[in-house]
Every structure is written in structure tokens, then in C-alpha cells.
Amino acid sequence: MSSETATQHARVPQEERTRVMRARLLEATIQCLVDAGFAGTSTTLVSKIAGVSRGAQLHHFPTKNDLVVAAVRHLAEQRRAEIVVGRDDFPVGEGRTRAVLEAMADYVTSPFFTAALELWVAARSDEQLLAAVAPLEVEFGRELHRIAVDLLEVDESRPGVRELVQATLDLLRGLGLANTLGDDSRRRARILDQWAQSLDRELKELG
Amino acid sequence: MSSETATQHARVPQEERTRVMRARLLEATIQCLVDAGFAGTSTTLVSKIAGVSRGAQLHHFPTKNDLVVAAVRHLAEQRRAEIVVGRDDFPVGEGRTRAVLEAMADYVTSPFFTAALELWVAARSDEQLLAAVAPLEVEFGRELHRIAVDLLEVDESRPGVRELVQATLDLLRGLGLANTLGDDSRRRARILDQWAQSLDRELKELG
């Protein structure tokens, strides 16, 4: 074994350990944001929940803001991957729109949305946090829009289609918000049943 | 002047002074929630902004939760009154739906919505606050729904109409949320233009 290969062998487990530790910190941060809110989240509490030393935590994420922004980004990427992976499972033709709305509703009623909501609201009155959160929010918004257009298989060059997709995403955000104070799933299902029908009819109308 | 009349005369200004002081405290609370968020709001800061003695403040609102819940209720009542007062100003026929959506969008992009959002999010991880906020949220939701049905002049006994009105209110909540991180008015105007057209067509379809 050459010395170069030996170094590579030694490096891989170290990189893997770092990856696992970072993931543990980020997952503990989401748990903290969901359970205790932004105000109740602290780097000390997160390293305790994650079972990661304070030194290691500070090395990877020097401030609370670094930690919470990285955590929300991490979870968003996971969730997005889940939706995209399921792409081929959506029915073709009838029922597709309703199934896509369901997948996107899962997204806005998940811990991701709750944690992101805590961040958005805290960022409103915290300039430094806002500087990190505002671009992230724009990026998420664009990405979610792109996913919606792709899954719904609509043509945005037709006037009004873009606005209907945006309205659908804002409706979903509103449903996400309504769900944070208690289980809103029955009301949400009825609204999405109706909106799937209306959206299909409206898209045809604009076609 | 009988002694009874004299007492009444003395009492009226006292009642008026109390009313004005309460209103000042509640308006200072909204200002505090909007500027500093729920975590940054304290009864001490509110009495300072309102220019009301700490003793008087504690007499009327013993805890921070009493103060913030009363403040959001106070502002909601004012705003609701504004929408309802404008009832006869909405055009009849064409353009009515768009005008109603505009009035309701004003509601969800006002300091009322921002302050309420701070309360909702804080209540998620604060059981005592949740006990006060959850019924308030249900009450607001019902009232806003009733106002929307009334202004849009729709018949909820037709299947699907109730869900379309709910979807409209959830869309507005989503638009309110999107507006908290920055001015979203141009995007919102385009979405509401499209939604007004689609809603009118869908309501006719369900008719």
C-alpha cells in the first residue's frame, strides 16, 4: 500500500465521522426549533441534544445563526429530494394534480416548514439573521416553484399559468401556517380536493 | 346639581381616561410586537413606549400574555370594522371580486397580521399562550370567513363554494406570510388579478 493510499483510507472514516456529526447537530437544531421555537433554541442546548461536544459544535457552526440557517437548508434539501424521487409515482392524467398537491402539502406541514417559519419570523426583527434567511427564502421559493411546474407538467409561457402556480404555492403556505396551531388535515383535504378540480379546469381554460 | 349627577360627571372623564390609557397600551404592544418580535416584547418596554406607569399597566394587564392577546384582539376588531365599513364602496358586478380580494389583502399585510403571526408562532411552543391564542385564532378565522362570504355575495349551500372561499383565505394568509420578509406587493397584485378571474369563473361553474 503506497503512503498516498494509506492517507486516503485514513481520511475517509474521518470525513464520514464529520458528516455524521454535522447531520446530528443539524437534526438536533430542527428538533429544538420545532419544540422550543427560535427564542428557546441555543447552541448549548443543541450540542447537548446532539451529544456533540461544545468545542466540535463551535468549530462547525460558530454562531446560533450559522446553525439554524444550515439546519433549515439541510432539511429543505432532504425534503426536496423526497418529492423529486417520488416523481414517477404520481399518476398520469386524472388524479395527478391532486397527488402533486398532496406531496406539496406534506412539505408545508412537515418539521421543515415549522422550523423555517420560526426562522422567517425571527428574521423579521433580527437584521443579521435576515441577511442569511432572505436569500435562502428566495432560493426555496424558486426551487419549489420549479418543482411544482415540473410535477404539474404545465406550460408557463401561457399567460396566467405562472400566477396560478404561484397562487397554489401561496395557498399551500397558508395551509402550512394554519396547521402549526393544531391538526388541520381534514379541512386541508377538502380544500385541496376542490382546488385540484378548479386548478385543472383553470389550466385548461388558460391553455 | 344632585350629588348623583355630580358623581356621573366625575365618572365619565375617568372612564374616558381609562379607555384612552388601555388603547395606548395596546397600540404600544402592537408596535413592540412588530418592531421587536414576541421575544423582544416585555411589559416594561410597552409601558415605557405607551408612557403609562408600570402600576397602571399591571393593573389593566397583569401579564405579558394578557397584554399581547388583548392587543391583537383590539387591532383585529379595528381592522374588521374598516373592512365592513367599506362594504358599500365595493363595485357591483365586474371588478367586485378583485376589490374584495384587495381589501382582504390589506388586512393580511397590515401590522395586525404581523403581530398575530408573532403570537401564533410563539404560541406553538408556549402552552399557556396557546390556551389564549387558539380560541382567538378560531374566532378570527370564522369571522374573516363570514366577511368574505358576505362581501363576495356567494351561496355556501352549493357544494365546493365553501372550500373555494377557504382556499382564498388560506391563499391570503400565504401572501401575508410572504410579505413579512419584504415588500411583495407587485407579485401579490399579479396573483390576485389571476385569482379574481379564476374565482369568478369557478364560482359560476359551481353555481
Side-chain angles (χ1 to χ4, degrees), chain B residues 42-186:
Chain B
S42 68
T43 52
T44 329
L45 187 56
V46 168
S47 51
K48 208 167 139 185
I49 295 175
V52 168
S53 79
R54 190 98 175 97
Q57 180 253 297
L58 287 170
H59 173 70
H60 290 291
F61 305 102
T63 69
K64 171 173 168 179
N65 283 2
D66 294 331
L67 194 56
V68 292
V69 171
V72 169
R73 180 183 286 279
H74 171 75
L75 197 57
E77 277 159 11
Q78 276 189 330
R79 284 270 149 181
R80 192 162 48 200
E82 283 167 27
I83 296 187
V84 175
V85 163
R87 200 187 182 294
D88 295 336
D89 300 335
F90 292 110
V92 175
E94 203 181 341
R96 183 174 182 92
T97 301
R98 184 63 183 85
V100 170
L101 292 181
E102 192 63 30
M104 305 202 87
D106 285 348
Y107 194 72
V108 296
T109 55
S110 70
F112 157 70
F113 184 83
T114 307
L117 182 64
E118 287 287 341
L119 235 60
W120 292 334
V121 171
R124 259 205 345 98
S125 45
D126 178 336
E127 258 182 61
Q128 236 185 329
L129 186 60
L130 185 61
V133 167
L136 195 66
E137 217 277 318
V138 171
E139 190 188 315
F140 286 174
R142 285 202 186 127
E143 179 74 13
L144 212 57
H145 188 95
R146 202 191 53 69
I147 293 175
V149 168
D150 179 44
L151 293 179
L152 291 169
E153 301 179 325
V154 293
D155 175 5
E156 283 205 297
S157 68
R158 293 177 297 160
V161 169
R162 185 174 170 74
E163 286 72 22
L164 275 186
V165 173
Q166 287 179 319
T168 301
L169 292 173
D170 282 295
L171 163 65
L172 286 163
R173 256 176 233 128
L175 290 173
L177 184 58
N179 200 60
T180 56
L181 284 193
D183 178 14
D184 189 42
S185 52
R186 286 176 62 188

Side-chain angles (χ1 to χ4, degrees), chain A residues 96-155:
Chain A
R96 183 175 182 92
T97 301
R98 183 62 183 87
V100 171
L101 292 181
E102 192 64 28
M104 305 203 85
D106 284 348
Y107 194 71
V108 297
T109 55
S110 70
F112 158 69
F113 184 84
T114 307
L117 182 64
E118 288 286 341
L119 235 60
W120 293 334
V121 171
R124 260 206 344 100
S125 46
D126 177 337
E127 259 182 61
Q128 238 186 326
L129 186 60
L130 184 61
V133 167
L136 196 66
E137 217 276 318
V138 171
E139 192 188 313
F140 286 174
R142 286 203 185 126
E143 180 75 13
L144 211 59
H145 187 93
R146 203 192 53 70
I147 293 174
V149 167
D150 179 44
L151 294 179
L152 291 169
E153 301 178 324
V154 294
D155 176 6

Side-chain angles (χ1 to χ4, degrees), chain A residues 33-36 114 118 120-121 124-125 160 167 170-171 174-175 180-181 187 191 194-195 198 201-202 205, chain B residues 33-36 114 118 120-121 124-125 160 166-167 170-171 174 180-181 187 191 194-195 198 201-202 205:
Chain A
L33 283 170
V34 171
D35 294 347
T114 307
E118 288 286 341
W120 293 334
V121 171
R124 260 206 344 100
S125 46
D170 282 295
L171 162 63
L175 290 172
T180 56
L181 284 193
R187 192 186 74 98
I191 292 173
Q194 178 56 47
W195 183 240
S198 292
R201 201 155 38 212
E202 287 302 307
E205 184 74 34
Chain B
L33 282 171
V34 170
D35 293 347
T114 307
E118 287 287 341
W120 292 334
V121 171
R124 259 205 345 98
S125 45
Q166 287 179 319
D170 282 295
L171 163 65
T180 56
L181 284 193
R187 192 186 75 98
I191 293 174
Q194 180 57 48
W195 190 267
S198 293
R201 200 156 38 214
E202 288 302 308
E205 185 74 33

Side-chain angles (χ1 to χ4, degrees), chain A:
Chain A
M1 200 186 266
S2 73
S3 76
E4 197 181 301
T5 318
T7 311
Q8 276 177 356
H9 273 232
R11 200 191 293 139
V12 173
Q14 175 55 36
E15 277 169 3
E16 178 59 14
R17 277 201 302 275
T18 300
R19 203 193 57 74
V20 169
M21 185 202 285
R22 285 178 64 98
R24 246 167 50 206
L25 280 168
L26 298 178
E27 275 146 31
T29 305
I30 297 294
Q31 192 192 319
C32 219
L33 283 170
V34 171
D35 294 347
F38 182 83
T41 296
S42 68
T43 53
T44 329
L45 187 56
V46 168
S47 51
K48 207 167 140 187
I49 295 175
V52 167
S53 79
R54 189 100 175 95
Q57 179 253 297
L58 286 170
H59 173 71
H60 290 291
F61 306 101
T63 70
K64 172 174 166 178
N65 282 3
D66 295 330
L67 195 57
V68 292
V69 171
V72 168
R73 180 183 286 279
H74 170 77
L75 197 58
E77 277 159 11
Q78 277 189 329
R79 284 269 148 183
R80 190 161 52 197
E82 282 168 28
I83 295 187
V84 176
V85 163
R87 198 186 184 296
D88 296 336
D89 300 335
F90 293 110
V92 175
E94 204 182 339
R96 183 175 182 92
T97 301
R98 183 62 183 87
V100 171
L101 292 181
E102 192 64 28
M104 305 203 85
D106 284 348
Y107 194 71
V108 297
T109 55
S110 70
F112 158 69
F113 184 84
T114 307
L117 182 64
E118 288 286 341
L119 235 60
W120 293 334
V121 171
R124 260 206 344 100
S125 46
D126 177 337
E127 259 182 61
Q128 238 186 326
L129 186 60
L130 184 61
V133 167
L136 196 66
E137 217 276 318
V138 171
E139 192 188 313
F140 286 174
R142 286 203 185 126
E143 180 75 13
L144 211 59
H145 187 93
R146 203 192 53 70
I147 293 174
V149 167
D150 179 44
L151 294 179
L152 291 169
E153 301 178 324
V154 294
D155 176 6
E156 284 204 296
S157 67
R158 294 177 296 161
V161 169
R162 185 174 171 73
E163 285 70 23
L164 272 187
V165 173
Q166 287 180 319
T168 301
L169 291 173
D170 282 295
L171 162 63
L172 286 163
R173 257 177 230 124
L175 290 172
L177 185 58
N179 200 60
T180 56
L181 284 193
D183 178 14
D184 189 40
S185 52
R186 286 175 63 186
R187 192 186 74 98
R188 186 169 64 246
R190 286 196 301 269
I191 292 173
L192 292 181
D193 284 346
Q194 178 56 47
W195 183 240
Q197 278 181 40
S198 292
L199 182 57
D200 277 342
R201 201 155 38 212
E202 287 302 307
L203 288 168
K204 202 175 279 175
E205 184 74 34
L206 296 173

